Amino acid sequence: MMPRLLEGVQRRSLVLLALLLAALLAAPWMANDYLLTVLITILYFAYTGQAWNVMMGFAGQLSLGHAIYVGLGGYAAAALYVHYGVGPWIALPAAMAVAVVCGAVIGCLAFRFGVAGVYFAILTIAFAEFARIGFDHFRWVGGSSGFFLPVANYSRNDLWNLRGSPTMFYYVMLALTVAAFALCHLLLKSRMGHYWLAIREDEAAARSLGVNTFRYKLYAVVISAGMTAVAGVFFAFYYNNLFPEQVFHISRSIELILGPIIGGIGTLFGPIIGAFLLTGLSELMQELLGRLGFDIPGAKQVFYGICLLLVVMVLPGGVWPWLARAIGVTGRRS
């Protein structure tokens, strides 16, 4: 496994990866509680951005309703924990299975009837809205009043039940982000990864060469859905509450995809760079505004819009390809 991960990777890239990982491992020992919370949020968006990148960046299937998989994964694991005492790690396969089935239904409906492009994106939004409305009336998980998990004190870390301090949650999210990065790297080097890239660039040409585009597009959807459901489980046990209006709302889906768009769609480092830039700079901006005595509603959304505008105008391929060339590592798109 390790030789496959390192195959074709530049020495300079390995050094920079090692330095970045070392810095992230040491971060909790140098950060206060607020900064640690920001870092957890950054890693969360880096992970979910990587999961969305499998679907859009690798296979070219635009999803604007990806929050549905976060919500389904979170609700499934939380319900099993609250009602039956099933721990999150045991519930994780069930949470992933629910999201995978949902992704398979969306993919089958879309790809069987030739729904593609912007119409596929609209279909994903529609399913997320259906889920939001449905869970608003699903009393078994609290409905619109919200679903709350019991909160344990932070005197002892219980990794098995995901109850503990922010430091524990930070390392869990860091491990998930590293695992997602490695998995995406292996997927891109696989035959399926090459098929995805062929479909992304020219689906008709890929089909004419014998690629089963229906099957491989469906693989991209279900893999992305399953990965995103893992983030949903983390979300539920970190925040200890789930509200349909918040979890399934389209604004959540937009937040998930901004990192890869800013960092570079179709690249491995794009979601990570984008998450650090967007979340880090937006938190810094809000902190500065707060110290200056300003409370501006919607300031974060305006900031996101400005970032998107700047990237589209100045760096249409994203920040990472430009940064990779600047530091002397391979910066080509996947």
Side-chain angles (χ1 to χ4, degrees):
M1 180 67 72
M2 188 58 67
R4 287 189 62 193
L5 279 173
L6 300 181
E7 182 183 351
V9 181
Q10 297 178 353
R11 184 182 299 273
R12 180 176 294 185
S13 299
L14 290 175
V15 172
L16 292 175
L17 273 173
L19 291 174
L20 175 61
L21 184 58
L24 291 173
L25 287 171
W29 306 102
M30 299 177 286
N32 56 29
D33 289 343
Y34 170 72
L35 184 56
L36 188 59
T37 301
V38 173
L39 288 172
I40 292 172
T41 305
I42 289 172
L43 291 176
Y44 171 81
F45 283 121
Y47 175 88
T48 51
Q50 201 73 264
W52 179 80
N53 206 28
V54 171
M55 193 166 165
M56 174 59 191
F58 299 169
Q61 307 306 306
L62 176 60
S63 170
L64 295 180
H66 231 59
I68 188 174
Y69 307 124
V70 174
L72 290 176
Y75 268 106
L80 289 173
Y81 181 75
V82 172
H83 293 301
Y84 305 110
V86 178
W89 299 111
I90 297 177
L92 184 60
M96 294 176 67
V98 171
V100 164
V101 169
C102 178
V105 170
I106 295 173
C108 285
L109 285 175
F111 305 145
R112 183 62 67 188
F113 295 102
V115 178
V118 66
Y119 300 105
F120 178 76
I122 292 172
L123 181 65
T124 61
I125 295 173
F127 267 83
E129 282 297 295
F130 292 156
R132 182 184 65 80
I133 295 170
F135 276 85
D136 255 340
H137 299 85
F138 195 8
R139 296 300 175 188
W140 190 60
V141 288
S144 60
S145 300
F147 193 50
F148 298 90
L149 281 72
V151 180
N153 61 45
Y154 292 161
S155 61
R156 182 177 63 89
N157 289 326
D158 184 2
L159 181 60
W160 181 247
N161 289 306
L162 279 184
R163 320 312 291 158
S165 66
T167 301
M168 184 201 74
F169 280 101
Y170 171 84
Y171 282 118
V172 169
M173 197 67 249
L174 177 60
L176 291 176
T177 305
V178 171
F181 182 90
L183 174 61
C184 289
H185 177 65
L186 291 174
L187 286 173
L188 274 179
K189 293 171 67 67
S190 68
R191 175 180 296 182
M192 183 164 59
H194 288 90
Y195 286 163
W196 283 343
L197 299 184
I199 292 169
R200 184 190 71 185
E201 297 304 321
D202 193 330
E203 184 175 342
R207 191 183 301 111
S208 68
L209 291 173
V211 177
N212 188 331
T213 56
F214 174 87
R215 176 188 300 173
Y216 286 101
K217 286 194 297 183
L218 194 60
Y219 286 164
V221 173
V222 298
I223 291 173
S224 179
M227 290 176 65
T228 309
V230 177
V233 176
F234 176 89
F235 182 95
F237 282 81
Y238 178 64
Y239 290 104
N240 298 307
N241 62 76
L242 295 165
F243 290 88
E245 184 62 32
Q246 295 177 351
V247 177
F248 294 107
H249 198 271
I250 188 172
S251 62
R252 286 289 184 181
S253 295
I254 299 301
E255 285 181 344
L256 300 183
I257 72 176
L258 283 176
I261 292 174
I262 297 295
I265 296 177
T267 65
L268 290 174
F269 269 106
I272 300 172
I273 297 296
F276 268 94
L277 287 176
L278 278 176
T279 306
L281 291 177
S282 66
E283 291 294 333
L284 177 61
M285 179 195 67
Q286 287 193 318
E287 182 71 14
L288 290 175
L289 288 175
R291 292 189 177 185
L292 293 173
F294 295 106
D295 183 13
I296 305 174
K300 182 180 289 188
Q301 286 71 24
V302 172
F303 174 77
Y304 287 164
I306 293 173
C307 288
L308 282 173
L309 182 62
L310 288 174
V311 168
V312 169
M313 294 178 62
V314 181
L315 298 170
V319 174
W320 170 244
W322 168 81
L323 182 61
R325 290 190 295 271
I327 61 179
V329 298
T330 302
R332 64 180 177 83
R333 291 173 63 83
S334 301

